[in-house]
Amino acid sequence: VIVSSVQRHARHSFFWQFVFHTYTTAFTLVNGNGTPKAKEYSLHQKQIFLGLGAISYSACIGALPLAFMNRYTLKSPLMQLVVRKLLPAPLLGLTSAFTVAMVRSPEFDNGIEVMDRNGKVIGVSKKAGEKAVMETALSRAVLFGTTFFLPEVLMYCLQRARFVKNPRALGPVRMFVIMSVLAGMLPVSFSMFPQCGEIKRADLEPEILASTEETEFFYNRGI
């Protein structure tokens, strides 16, 4: 996160964002819901291919504004503000959510287990899988989008207030601010939705409802 936020060249930005998304994709793959089972294909291989595609696409999207600016030598203050300060946060948030959705897409297709209040598995629900993936993707977007956006706002305020007078100190201060925001946002992101998510009876498939009279259902959201 720190290295990606300070890049000024498209090639370097692509490399470091590729590294960043590789790590987050591997984390997502390990900490997803393990319900989906493959019948006619290797689920693990499919997720790896989807992950590699999502990583490459996300790194390209992240580096595209810098490539566009450098290619057409757009050096105006407004363009610098948009490309270097405003765009990175929403782009990183969206691409982080995109990689989660791609890697865990088998949970959309095959569904995940839903349980009653006693932990007994009632069935496998695609709607619960969709809800789990979307909640995780949203929490990941908030985590990294905020981690890119808030430090820029704080650094702008510090510079306006002339809190940091030595230009050489701006780099270490920026690094400290990013680390602090990331450390603060981690628990916020993980607590946005409960680990054991709840889904309403009306939101489940009819075939699951036909086998039980329970009114409360739960699922493992993953991280």
Side-chain angles (χ1 to χ4, degrees):
V1 172
I2 294 173
V3 177
S4 298
S5 68
V6 297
Q7 295 305 315
R8 296 294 179 263
H9 301 285
R11 185 179 301 176
H12 296 163
S13 178
F14 172 84
F15 172 78
W16 286 110
Q17 291 208 37
F18 189 93
V19 173
F20 166 78
H21 287 296
T22 298
Y23 171 78
T24 58
T25 299
F27 180 88
T28 301
L29 186 61
V30 171
N31 293 282
N33 187 295
T35 300
K37 306 298 181 184
K39 295 181 179 179
E40 300 178 355
Y41 57 86
S42 171
L43 180 64
H44 187 62
Q45 290 180 355
K46 179 181 179 180
Q47 287 182 300
I48 289 176
F49 284 129
L50 288 172
L52 288 174
I55 291 167
S56 301
Y57 178 79
S58 298
C60 287
I61 292 297
L64 186 61
L66 281 176
F68 182 82
M69 187 181 70
N70 294 336
R71 172 67 176 81
Y72 296 101
T73 61
L74 303 175
K75 302 297 184 182
S76 67
L78 177 61
M79 185 58 62
Q80 293 279 337
L81 174 65
V82 171
V83 173
R84 299 191 188 279
K85 305 295 184 181
L86 300 182
L87 273 181
L91 280 181
L92 190 68
L94 289 173
T95 53
S96 297
F98 172 73
T99 56
V100 171
M102 288 297 293
V103 172
R104 293 182 58 179
S105 60
E107 296 176 34
F108 285 114
D109 301 332
N110 302 338
I112 62 175
E113 291 179 346
V114 290
M115 301 158 286
D116 61 16
R117 68 184 68 185
N118 298 317
K120 179 183 177 181
V121 176
I122 303 299
V124 176
S125 170
K126 293 183 180 180
K127 292 184 178 180
E130 179 180 348
K131 191 170 184 288
V133 174
M134 297 313 300
E135 288 176 348
T136 305
L138 178 59
S139 67
R140 198 71 60 82
V142 170
L143 169 62
F144 293 116
T146 305
T147 301
F148 254 47
F149 175 73
L150 193 55
E152 292 297 338
V153 175
L154 295 176
M155 288 301 299
Y156 174 79
C157 294
L158 290 176
Q159 290 178 276
R160 289 278 294 181
R162 300 194 179 189
F163 183 78
V164 182
K165 298 180 180 180
N166 187 352
R168 295 182 179 180
L170 287 176
V173 171
R174 179 186 296 275
M175 183 180 300
F176 174 77
V177 170
I178 293 175
M179 292 176 63
S180 300
V181 172
L182 180 58
M185 283 303 301
L186 278 171
V188 173
S189 171
F190 289 156
S191 62
M192 284 181 62
F193 303 99
Q195 182 65 38
C196 184
E198 182 176 357
I199 185 169
K200 297 179 181 178
R201 181 181 176 89
D203 294 334
L204 289 175
E205 291 85 345
E207 56 270 23
I208 296 178
L209 300 179
S211 63
T212 181
E213 297 297 326
E214 291 286 341
T215 57
E216 295 180 336
F217 300 90
F218 304 90
Y219 59 89
N220 174 31
R221 179 175 66 85
I223 300 177

